[in-house]
Amino acid sequence: MNPERTVATALVGYLRQAGVTQVFGYPGESVVDFMEAARDDGPAIIAAVREASAAFMAEGAAMRTGGIGTCLSTLGPGSTALLNGVAGATLDRVPMLAISGQVESSREQYWTHQLVDQGRLFAPVTKLAARLEPGSADAVLRRALRTATAERPGAVHLTVTTDTFGMTVQDGGGTVPPLGPAAGSL
């Protein structure tokens, strides 16, 4: 296990292995560690005017290339703005990975400002709504990519707390599994 491997760098690594070269998103404090991890070797972060635009840009790019569309949002209203584009990708059978930041895990139980239960929000419109944690990051990332591209492709949503991005990944690492027929390069 590489002690330098954080949740953010693991996510970047899996996206690269899956052929993702662009992530459409809106910058914010809750996702800055991921954006910094992607800065040098990609995938490129393409700034959108708002999160809703990012989701539709990711869906359009995936439709054009046959790859996995990837979008990124901040917490609270930022994650709710992704919803229409994420639902559209699922209904259009377009593989998408949507990632939303969240407040620090230690604040989730009592924080009231810009806190949304993202799992409950995205579950009805995705094939999988999961949470990225250091102890299961590799397994969740492999499952997310496999699920997005499997028969009847669609969107997958991952919630990541601000503090989790910087935590060391605790599982063994690995590579992207063979992806479904929709996988390609983006």
Side-chain angles (χ1 to χ4, degrees), residues 30-158:
S30 62
V31 294
V32 74
D33 284 346
F34 168 75
M35 295 174 74
E36 284 298 313
R39 180 190 296 251
D40 291 332
D41 297 323
I45 306 294
I46 309 298
V49 173
R50 59 188 297 255
E51 288 88 346
S53 301
F56 287 115
M57 292 164 72
E59 181 184 16
M63 292 170 95
R64 180 181 53 82
T65 65
I68 301 169
T70 307
C71 56
L72 177 69
S73 79
T74 58
L75 52 88
S79 62
T80 64
L82 284 180
L83 195 60
N84 284 339
V86 169
T90 297
L91 294 172
D92 292 338
R93 298 181 183 183
V94 174
M96 177 186 282
L97 180 63
I99 305 153
S100 293
Q102 182 67 288
V103 299
E104 294 89 351
S105 54
S106 64
R107 296 171 142 189
E108 281 183 291
Q109 296 304 311
Y110 66 87
W111 192 256
T112 59
H113 181 69
Q114 297 200 5
L115 185 66
V116 173
D117 185 339
Q118 295 173 359
R120 289 181 59 198
L121 177 68
F122 285 96
V125 299
T126 60
K127 294 177 69 179
L128 172 69
R131 188 175 174 107
L132 204 50
E133 297 284 352
S136 59
D138 286 307
V140 169
L141 288 167
R142 286 191 302 269
R143 180 176 180 210
L145 293 168
R146 198 172 49 242
T147 301
T149 60
E151 184 62 33
R152 191 177 169 115
V156 168
H157 181 269
L158 296 177

